[in-house]
Amino acid sequence: MAIDTALRTSGGAVVAGASTPARLVPARSLDAVAADQDKDGATAAASTPAPLRGKSSAAVGGAQQESVARAQQALDYLERVAGQLENLKGEISAKLSGASGGQTRVQPRAQQRSQQLDSSVRQLASTLAARQSSAGGGVDANLNFDGQPAQQRFRVRGLDIDSLQQSAPATVAFSVGGIGGPQLAATIGTDQSSEETARAIDRAVAPLGVRASLDNGSLVFSTPEANWPAVRDSIAVSGRGRVATDEVAPALAPQQWPIGAGSSGGGGGNADALRQSLREVVQALERVRRSQDAASSALSSASVQVSVEATPPPEVNMAADDFAGAAASTNYDSLLALSSALVGVSRERVLALLGLR
């Protein structure tokens, strides 16, 4: 807080930092000045409402409510996906059984199964495509849930561990949308391991809302899905300018499965493709079950925390009971206590207090 200091003399006054001369004031005694200050302080205390507490609690409560909503939407979405995966698992298993029979007389039934499987695959693909708008922002493309906003994983073309180590020693700086530059740089040494190089890159890009890690020896970046459009369109690397990025494809891609009515095998489908698709469905189901458990745990924890924050401490209830008891009495002492307590309580303050609930 800037403080303007007034230098008073018998001939006038000069205010430090002011652009115009200060008004002349008559000299006054120290006792008079002190009396005025006490009076001003008392007036300010009476007219200025005390600051309302609880804003930090309200912010925490808002964050907890957001966690509850994210976990609840994730559970609803994951339950729908799990049901569709279970259905596909049964249909693929039935089609595999029909394909292994190889009997001509069951051909119409096999064709019907293929058409039903086509429909189920399209339904799952549609549900996965709507994930970002339906899952509450907490389920990523691989159907994982960890309680945090879903991440978009991507690679930067031409930026991999091998090329970085081959150009060592070197310094690589990053920026996103003009934020970053030389201060966000990673130093690549000649004796660094792949893990050390990835950690150096991760430290450099972390302030940009981007993380870097190794995935099977490959350098992979990630950022919250809400940030992905900005990162995708403006990430730049020193010496290269803006660079191109590629999204890491999700592990589950049902639209690419060659298991429908148009696949090879006389309507029964290719047995190897069916088995591979079945393995992918089973693996996806395992991930979904783990994510459901994580979302249920997060929902329970967040709900308990919200309940605890919404429950007033015992002292508040006791004070409310005392106030209600005093208000029910009509003697002079009670009325005096009530009127004293309500001095300075405005309608705006009451509404603000009610808004904290």
Side-chain angles (χ1 to χ4, degrees):
M1 178 182 296
I3 301 177
D4 291 338
T5 304
L7 304 177
R8 302 180 183 276
T9 66
S10 58
V14 178
V15 181
S19 59
T20 59
R23 177 175 56 88
L24 294 178
V25 297
R28 306 181 61 201
S29 66
L30 294 178
D31 291 340
V33 173
D36 285 348
Q37 290 176 343
D38 291 341
K39 181 179 179 181
D40 292 342
T43 303
S47 61
T48 303
L52 295 176
R53 293 179 298 176
K55 291 185 178 180
S56 58
S57 298
V60 172
Q64 293 295 340
Q65 292 284 2
E66 183 179 348
S67 298
V68 169
R70 182 187 297 132
Q72 184 61 66
Q73 285 184 268
L75 277 174
D76 294 342
Y77 177 79
L78 290 169
E79 183 178 0
R80 187 161 67 253
V81 173
Q84 294 176 8
L85 287 171
E86 287 284 6
N87 185 50
L88 268 174
K89 178 182 175 183
E91 290 181 359
I92 294 175
S93 298
K95 189 172 181 181
L96 267 173
S97 299
S100 61
Q103 297 180 10
T104 304
R105 59 185 177 86
V106 299
Q107 188 69 20
R109 186 176 180 182
Q111 186 71 20
Q112 183 181 6
R113 285 175 175 169
S114 295
Q115 293 173 349
Q116 178 60 38
L117 183 55
D118 270 343
S119 176
S120 298
V121 168
R122 287 195 299 269
Q123 182 185 35
L124 177 61
S126 176
T127 301
L128 295 177
R131 173 187 56 84
Q132 293 189 34
S133 60
S134 303
V139 179
D140 68 14
N142 288 324
L143 304 176
N144 296 314
F145 177 91
D146 60 5
Q148 301 300 317
Q151 301 285 309
Q152 173 64 56
R153 303 174 73 238
F154 65 98
R155 293 185 176 89
V156 175
R157 293 182 193 174
L159 192 67
D160 53 65
I161 293 296
D162 291 339
S163 63
L164 287 170
Q165 291 180 333
Q166 289 173 3
S167 62
T171 299
V172 183
F174 298 85
S175 67
V176 172
I179 301 174
Q183 67 272 25
L184 300 181
T187 300
I188 311 301
T190 55
D191 56 348
Q192 282 182 344
S193 65
S194 297
E195 291 77 11
E196 290 171 335
T197 300
R199 284 196 295 270
I201 298 294
D202 180 59
R203 287 192 297 269
V205 299
L208 301 172
V210 179
R211 305 309 300 260
S213 61
L214 284 181
D215 184 2
N216 294 324
S218 175
L219 184 62
V220 176
F221 297 85
S222 64
T223 191
E225 288 183 340
N227 297 340
W228 171 234
V231 172
R232 177 192 59 209
D233 296 335
S234 62
I235 187 170
V237 179
S238 58
R240 306 185 189 186
R242 197 174 78 81
V243 292
T245 58
D246 296 309
E247 296 183 12
V248 176
L252 188 64
Q255 65 275 13
Q256 298 178 7
W257 295 343
I259 59 177
S263 57
S264 61
N270 182 281
D272 291 337
L274 286 172
R275 294 189 184 95
Q276 176 60 33
S277 299
L278 183 59
R279 282 192 292 269
E280 292 188 27
V281 168
V282 171
Q283 292 171 358
L285 262 174
E286 292 175 352
R287 286 196 302 273
V288 169
R289 297 305 184 199
R290 289 195 299 268
S291 295
Q292 285 179 306
D293 291 341
S296 296
S297 178
L299 180 61
S300 299
S301 299
S303 298
V304 169
Q305 186 63 31
V306 169
S307 177
V308 169
E309 291 176 357
T311 303
E315 294 80 1
V316 174
N317 292 328
M318 292 173 61
D321 292 340
D322 292 343
F323 189 87
S329 178
T330 57
N331 61 58
Y332 175 78
D333 291 337
S334 298
L335 294 176
L336 179 61
L338 287 174
S339 60
S340 300
L342 295 176
V343 170
V345 178
S346 64
R347 179 175 182 272
E348 289 74 15
R349 175 171 292 188
V350 172
L351 292 176
L353 289 171
L354 291 176
L356 295 177
R357 290 181 61 86

